[in-house]
Amino acid sequence: GALGLQMAEHLVAEGARHLLLTGRSGVMTREQQVAIQRLEANGARVQVIKADVSKAADVASLLTHATKPLRGVIHAAGVLDDGMLMQQTMERFAHVAAPKVHGAWHLHNQTLSQPLDFFVLFSSVASLLGLLVAAVDVDLPSLLVRPIDLLAAAALPVAFVAYGRGL
């Protein structure tokens, strides 16, 4: 998605030369194709692998494509399923939470043996919209706080970018 590609551009500007990018849909838009071509024109070798990080098997498969040892993980996956609070269901919540929460957990578990320099998680930008419009997305950051505390307590490199209100 857009946030992941912006982070990839930042990494390449800082000297990264091998990127393994993923998304549930792969490269879908002309803008995504142009962004990847720009990364490559700036000296990066870019692999794009279609995977759903909310599924442990997809994460395991994804990591087999790394041609170099991983130096970091940036987890910017998300699904927006906005609607009024009264319209939300457990199914919609699970659909939105899976990429953020399960994805973070699977990426963490499957990269534990690698000496990462960074592991960055992003909250949902929907938290900026407020409870009435994106009720399902707003409280996802609170679900990530405990795992982040555990990572930090284990002296693992972790950063959490939380949009909107404080945790």
Side-chain angles (χ1 to χ4, degrees):
L3 178 58
L5 287 171
Q6 286 181 345
M7 293 304 303
E9 288 179 4
H10 173 73
L11 289 171
V12 170
E14 293 296 317
R17 292 297 170 253
H18 300 274
L19 298 176
L20 179 59
L21 306 178
T22 190
R24 287 176 305 279
S25 304
V27 178
M28 296 291 292
T29 68
R30 178 73 183 132
E31 292 81 14
Q32 291 170 333
Q33 292 170 345
V34 169
I36 290 167
Q37 290 169 349
R38 191 170 44 247
L39 293 169
E40 293 171 336
N42 286 318
R45 181 174 178 272
V46 180
Q47 292 178 272
V48 180
I49 306 299
K50 186 177 175 179
D52 181 348
V53 296
S54 71
K55 299 176 182 174
D58 278 19
V59 173
S61 176
L62 169 68
L63 295 175
T64 67
H65 292 277
T67 58
K68 301 277 185 182
L70 286 182
R71 300 285 308 273
V73 171
I74 296 177
H75 178 45
V79 171
L80 181 61
D81 187 1
D82 58 343
M84 300 303 279
L85 183 58
M86 298 304 291
Q87 298 170 333
Q88 300 306 326
T89 64
M90 284 307 296
E91 291 79 21
R92 288 177 78 179
F93 179 78
H95 174 71
V96 171
K100 286 280 183 216
V101 179
H102 295 179
W105 186 248
H106 297 317
L107 288 164
H108 160 67
N109 278 331
Q110 295 187 40
T111 60
L112 267 175
S113 65
Q114 302 187 38
L116 299 179
D117 293 330
F118 56 90
F119 191 97
V120 180
L121 302 165
F122 285 86
S123 75
S124 173
V125 295
S127 60
L128 296 173
L129 301 175
L131 277 170
L132 292 179
V133 178
V136 170
D137 297 318
V138 173
D139 262 353
L140 285 180
S142 62
L143 293 176
L144 292 171
V145 170
R146 182 68 178 138
I148 290 165
D149 289 345
L150 293 172
L151 294 174
L156 295 171
V158 64
F160 181 55
V161 179
Y163 300 107
R165 64 185 172 83
L167 300 174

